[in-house]
Amino acid sequence: MAWLDQTGVQWSTDPQVLAEKRLDRSGWEPDGSPAAVVFPRTVADVQAVLKGAQETRTKIVARGAGTALTGATAAGDGVLVLDLSGLNRILDVRPADGVAVVEPGVITANLDRAAAAHGLRYAPDPASLELSTIGGNIATNAGGLRCAKYGVTRDAVLGLDVVLAGGERISTGRATLKGVAGYDLTGLFVGSEGTLGVIVGATLRLRPLPEPTATIAAYYPDVETAAAASVALAEARIQPVLAELLDQATLDAIDPGLRATGSALLIVQTDGGPDEAAHAAEVLAKGATLVQSAGDPAELLKARRQALPSIEKLGRPLIEDIAVPRSRLAEAVRRIGVIAARHDVPICTLAHAGDGNLHPIIVAGAHGEPIPDAATRAADEIFALALELGGTVTGEHGVGVLKRAWLAKEIGPLAHDLQRQIKAVFDPLGILNPGKAI
Amino acid sequence: MAWLDQTGVQWSTDPQVLAEKRLDRSGWEPDGSPAAVVFPRTVADVQAVLKGAQETRTKIVARGAGTALTGATAAGDGVLVLDLSGLNRILDVRPADGVAVVEPGVITANLDRAAAAHGLRYAPDPASLELSTIGGNIATNAGGLRCAKYGVTRDAVLGLDVVLAGGERISTGRATLKGVAGYDLTGLFVGSEGTLGVIVGATLRLRPLPEPTATIAAYYPDVETAAAASVALAEARIQPVLAELLDQATLDAIDPGLRATGSALLIVQTDGGPDEAAHAAEVLAKGATLVQSAGDPAELLKARRQALPSIEKLGRPLIEDIAVPRSRLAEAVRRIGVIAARHDVPICTLAHAGDGNLHPIIVAGAHGEPIPDAATRAADEIFALALELGGTVTGEHGVGVLKRAWLAKEIGPLAHDLQRQIKAVFDPLGILNPGKAI
């Protein structure tokens, strides 16, 4: 990597730095260790690194905070890690235009706070929002809780600045709220997991801060009734901001005493005003064993917040991520329970019920131990179930390394081949995040 | 086109049929006449035609209702017109899933009515919605009035069935509300104007029907004050469903007597309930010469509805379509007025103010006469203005034939070359809508 000296960009081969940048949060371990980590501070730095990488055929793994759950930012033998966390400026917040212009290393929650100072907000809110970066959110097309009403990352990205594999810089999309000039390269980069180019800037849509939300927690005797309640909201013309479903295994992990209250919990927030909130409470009451709507919203959301930490106490969590048509949600949760019993591995399921997006969390043995085969087999059955129910193997986390085989099954050989040809257009030498996504 | 007989699909070379399918609504005339029109009734029909077309190197122009305003569906010398209006079934409306599955020839308003029967709606509402088809809306990524709040066509398309240039069929995207498996081919086809493949099916997002709207019509002494009022709405955290701006030239065309009331009209609809409506009326009152909010919404919207018919009485309308950052809206309208004066051609400007999307309508001589050079020069200056203000040459109508040169200027040679390479991946022989879009 001596060529990096010619770029003038700071870089390191310190073993501790390499170890820090080798993994993401998926638990997946690549073979070997990256060769170096480079720390660009400007777009020109990124261009110089990419130009040198193409000339020397050096493989690049771009990363922000490394919060991917799929192996997408894991960096193995000999690759160069491009750490974009130093490009972290919010360049512009323009309330009159409803847009912000940012560098990729901006922490998502920081952008949202900057927007809030103007009565606006950046809507996408992945669970990692206090850690993860806008660039990473764009690379994975991150979802979140309130995307049920306000859309996923793709819906918030108007335009991008991208450095291509050879170091050239292009702008895609637009600075306006609307625009249809040419093929949608912006949409192509969103969710491409660093395989088509390196995102070095983004123009993002900000939305008016809505009214404060009302929060309702409703317990049900079974997951079918809970899922039906979430569908009934839509049928009552209510668009909740979030609708989070916790299954019995999750409730048991939080507090076995909750079983007396119900076997499934649905937590709903609305922001359409008091009439909508009252209407939602009425709809959710049908078949419920307990409905709580008074008091501190944070308290009502407590079970959702406690879910992952509680599950982590049971062992090492593999956080899966499938989506099904909303009407199949209850069936999906039930059958995940059957899969758990068959393989004798605990699986706790959380779902963004408004979207039909489930996170079955497989407790895969003790922390630090190898992942048991039974857990891997259960995960495969969950993916097969998603496809059988007309769904997808990834609702919002992406493909990374862990779901490459399943991607091929989901989209079919013809679409897969088209995707490979698109990859070849943008990265003919295959230096960008090789072995990931497609 | 004798090979068409082998496909078993109905086709015609009747001169009257050819004449009917030769033009779209742009006024642009291609050289010559199409060779034939083919009328598929099934996806297999489309596959058979595309396979034969690839084998015989026959150029294809797919069309629905032919309402494009850009020449995108104009069909010249020797091409085969693929008329998709016969694939017009709404295959499924699934309220619990929040989706509909349709064929491309479905009239957009018919889908919206089918959804309304379930308390839902299909949100995108291009002005042509009673004529234009879903397939055409997808091919151009059509906008509309209420997309200010509910998004453009792209935001409503979850998955597509597409027949590729060689006749193979692929599915893109998903049947679920969320999904991130692989590159976003769905987004690539949306807005590709028939140049990458033929859309033969779509899975579309339906949304809960909102509360009835409140409508407010506010007149202002000048366009700056009107534009400032539309920005003030966003700053007051109000997200209007629509915010339509009419400039003085447009008001003059409707009724010169309106000049006594004001020089710019802003019509706003909200659907967030009575509190939001009252708040919006209060915000819009600032600087207004007249605010009307009581009475029949249709009456309050009358001026907007009368605008195009009134302008058509002045002569042949060229409907342009640029978008600028919302803060530059007033400047754009003012400078379009200067362009009109310089070239001595009437230009009436309507704008979707919430999006910064302007439709300057150039009155280009008498109906049926050749378009005067002055009108063409004025249009070019309007496109240059859009780019100078940080905007785009097309907000929602697309590129077609008329804006190809401007597309290259807007996106730059590098992005343009990438787009050409993507085109070559999907259509290596260049048989799909040649000479259009990119």
Side-chain angles (χ1 to χ4, degrees):
Chain A
M1 299 279 163
W3 62 268
L4 279 171
D5 281 335
Q6 294 163 39
T7 65
V9 185
Q10 189 199 334
W11 60 289
S12 171
T13 56
D14 179 324
Q16 192 176 336
V17 172
L18 298 182
E20 273 169 16
K21 306 297 181 182
R22 180 171 165 257
L23 303 181
D24 64 13
R25 296 204 164 208
S26 64
W28 184 77
E29 300 236 356
D31 291 333
S33 165
V37 181
V38 61
F39 301 95
R41 309 292 299 186
T42 66
V43 174
D45 285 353
V46 176
Q47 291 185 271
V49 171
L50 270 281
K51 185 164 180 288
Q54 173 129 313
E55 284 164 6
T56 56
R57 308 290 193 267
T58 302
K59 295 185 162 106
I60 294 276
V61 176
R63 77 181 262 146
T67 53
L69 292 165
T70 59
T73 46
D77 217 10
V79 311
L80 174 60
V81 175
L82 183 68
D83 182 335
L84 293 157
S85 57
L87 275 79
N88 60 358
R89 290 176 303 162
I90 297 174
L91 299 174
D92 206 356
V93 175
R94 299 204 300 264
D97 293 332
V99 304
V101 183
V102 301
E103 293 186 331
V106 170
I107 302 290
T108 304
N110 288 346
L111 171 61
D112 193 30
R113 282 187 279 265
H118 300 276
L120 298 167
R121 79 169 175 200
Y122 177 68
D125 62 340
S128 60
L129 84 172
E130 292 286 356
L131 299 170
S132 63
T133 63
I134 290 289
N137 289 184
I138 295 170
T140 52
N141 190 11
L145 302 186
R146 61 195 184 206
C147 63
K149 183 163 183 176
Y150 293 103
V152 297
T153 299
R154 173 186 147 162
D155 301 308
V157 179
L158 299 171
L160 293 173
D161 282 325
V162 179
V163 174
L164 300 174
E168 307 93 341
R169 177 180 183 168
I170 64 166
S171 292
T172 73
R174 56 197 199 270
T176 54
L177 296 177
K178 246 157 114 182
V180 292
Y183 299 147
D184 182 13
L185 297 187
T186 306
L188 204 52
F189 282 110
V190 175
S192 66
E193 303 188 16
T195 63
L196 298 180
V198 175
I199 293 160
V200 293
T203 301
L204 303 168
R205 178 196 293 265
L206 303 178
R207 295 184 181 277
L209 259 178
E211 284 205 38
T213 51
T215 307
I216 305 159
Y219 288 85
Y220 298 91
D222 51 57
V223 72
E224 280 80 3
T225 314
S230 83
V231 168
L233 285 177
E235 287 170 351
R237 303 185 183 183
I238 294 163
Q239 174 72 70
V241 178
L242 63 83
E244 297 292 303
L245 178 72
L246 284 67
D247 79 341
Q248 183 171 317
T250 305
L251 294 177
D252 283 347
I254 296 169
D255 174 5
L258 286 172
R259 202 176 267 240
T261 312
S263 293
L265 169 61
L266 186 63
I267 308 174
V268 168
Q269 287 192 328
T270 62
D271 63 4
D275 289 354
E276 189 190 56
H279 191 188
E282 188 186 313
V283 170
L284 292 173
K286 191 176 171 193
T289 49
L290 175 68
V291 178
Q292 303 170 311
S293 60
D296 181 11
E299 189 63 28
L300 294 166
L301 272 166
K302 198 169 112 186
R304 176 66 180 83
R305 214 171 48 244
Q306 288 177 325
L308 189 55
S310 302
I311 295 164
E312 279 176 335
K313 285 186 194 145
L314 304 178
R316 170 188 185 149
L318 296 186
I319 304 176
E320 292 308 341
D321 165 49
I322 63 171
V324 298
R326 219 161 43 186
S327 61
R328 314 302 289 272
L329 186 61
E331 184 180 355
V333 175
R334 278 274 180 218
R335 288 181 59 185
I336 290 166
V338 172
I339 291 168
R342 181 159 57 236
H343 295 283
D344 196 22
V345 288
I347 307 180
C348 305
T349 298
L350 304 169
H352 307 310
D355 301 321
N357 184 193
L358 297 92
H359 295 306
I361 303 176
I362 304 173
V363 181
H367 292 275
E369 301 281 307
I371 294 172
D373 286 347
T376 308
R377 284 197 300 271
D380 276 336
E381 289 193 16
I382 289 171
F383 301 146
L385 174 66
L387 297 187
E388 183 197 328
L389 295 179
T392 173
V393 299
T394 176
E396 58 180 5
H397 292 169
V399 174
V401 178
L402 299 177
K403 291 183 185 172
R404 270 179 308 168
W406 283 98
L407 173 70
K409 283 184 202 177
E410 177 170 333
I411 69 177
L414 216 51
H416 205 205
D417 182 56
L418 287 169
Q419 303 214 346
R420 287 217 182 87
Q421 290 184 62
I422 290 170
K423 163 78 173 174
V425 166
F426 286 86
D427 181 23
L429 301 177
I431 63 169
L432 295 176
N433 216 5
K436 310 291 177 61
I438 66 156
Chain B
M1 299 275 165
W3 62 267
L4 278 171
D5 281 335
Q6 295 164 38
T7 65
V9 184
Q10 189 200 335
W11 61 289
S12 171
T13 56
D14 179 326
Q16 194 176 333
V17 172
L18 298 183
E20 274 170 16
K21 306 297 181 184
R22 179 172 165 256
L23 303 181
D24 63 13
R25 297 208 161 205
S26 64
W28 183 77
E29 301 236 356
D31 291 333
S33 165
V37 181
V38 61
F39 301 95
R41 308 294 298 185
T42 66
V43 174
D45 285 353
V46 177
Q47 291 185 270
V49 172
L50 270 281
K51 184 165 180 287
Q54 172 129 314
E55 285 165 6
T56 56
R57 307 289 194 269
T58 303
K59 294 183 162 117
I60 294 274
V61 175
R63 77 181 260 143
T67 54
L69 292 166
T70 59
T73 47
D77 217 12
V79 311
L80 174 60
V81 175
L82 182 69
D83 183 336
L84 294 157
S85 56
L87 276 80
N88 59 359
R89 292 177 303 161
I90 297 173
L91 299 173
D92 205 358
V93 175
R94 299 203 301 263
D97 293 332
V99 303
V101 183
V102 301
E103 292 185 331
V106 170
I107 302 289
T108 304
N110 288 347
L111 171 61
D112 192 30
R113 282 188 279 266
H118 300 276
L120 298 168
R121 81 166 174 201
Y122 177 67
D125 62 341
S128 60
L129 83 172
E130 292 286 356
L131 300 172
S132 63
T133 64
I134 290 288
N137 289 183
I138 294 170
T140 52
N141 190 11
L145 301 186
R146 60 197 184 205
C147 62
K149 183 164 182 175
Y150 293 103
V152 296
T153 300
R154 172 186 149 164
D155 301 308
V157 180
L158 300 171
L160 294 173
D161 282 327
V162 179
V163 175
L164 300 174
E168 308 94 340
R169 178 180 182 167
I170 64 166
S171 293
T172 73
R174 55 195 200 269
T176 54
L177 295 177
K178 247 158 113 181
V180 293
Y183 299 147
D184 181 14
L185 297 187
T186 305
L188 204 52
F189 282 110
V190 175
S192 66
E193 302 188 18
T195 62
L196 298 179
V198 176
I199 294 160
V200 293
T203 301
L204 303 169
R205 176 195 295 266
L206 303 178
R207 295 182 181 278
L209 260 178
E211 284 205 39
T213 50
T215 307
I216 305 159
Y219 289 84
Y220 298 89
D222 50 58
V223 72
E224 279 80 4
T225 313
S230 83
V231 168
L233 285 176
E235 288 171 349
R237 302 185 184 184
I238 295 164
Q239 174 73 68
V241 179
L242 64 82
E244 296 292 302
L245 179 71
L246 284 68
D247 77 343
Q248 183 170 317
T250 306
L251 294 178
D252 282 348
I254 296 168
D255 175 4
L258 286 172
R259 202 176 268 239
T261 312
S263 292
L265 168 61
L266 186 64
I267 308 174
V268 169
Q269 287 192 327
T270 63
D271 63 3
D275 289 353
E276 190 190 54
H279 191 189
E282 187 186 313
V283 170
L284 292 174
K286 191 176 170 196
T289 49
L290 175 68
V291 178
Q292 304 170 310
S293 61
D296 181 12
E299 190 62 30
L300 293 166
L301 273 165
K302 199 169 110 185
R304 176 66 179 82
R305 213 171 49 244
Q306 289 177 324
L308 190 55
S310 303
I311 295 164
E312 280 174 336
K313 284 186 195 147
L314 304 179
R316 169 188 188 149
L318 296 186
I319 304 176
E320 293 308 341
D321 165 50
I322 62 171
V324 298
R326 217 161 45 189
S327 61
R328 313 301 289 271
L329 185 61
E331 183 179 357
V333 175
R334 278 274 179 217
R335 288 182 58 185
I336 290 167
V338 172
I339 291 168
R342 180 158 56 234
H343 295 283
D344 196 21
V345 288
I347 307 180
C348 305
T349 298
L350 304 169
H352 307 309
D355 301 321
N357 184 191
L358 297 92
H359 294 307
I361 304 177
I362 303 173
V363 181
H367 292 275
E369 302 281 308
I371 293 173
D373 286 348
T376 309
R377 284 197 300 270
D380 276 336
E381 287 193 17
I382 288 170
F383 301 146
L385 174 66
L387 298 187
E388 183 197 327
L389 296 180
T392 172
V393 299
T394 175
E396 58 181 5
H397 292 170
V399 173
V401 178
L402 299 178
K403 292 184 183 172
R404 270 180 309 168
W406 283 99
L407 173 70
K409 284 184 200 175
E410 177 171 333
I411 69 178
L414 217 51
H416 205 204
D417 182 57
L418 287 168
Q419 303 214 346
R420 287 217 182 87
Q421 291 186 62
I422 290 170
K423 163 78 174 173
V425 165
F426 286 85
D427 180 23
L429 301 177
I431 64 169
L432 296 176
N433 214 6
K436 310 290 177 61
I438 66 154

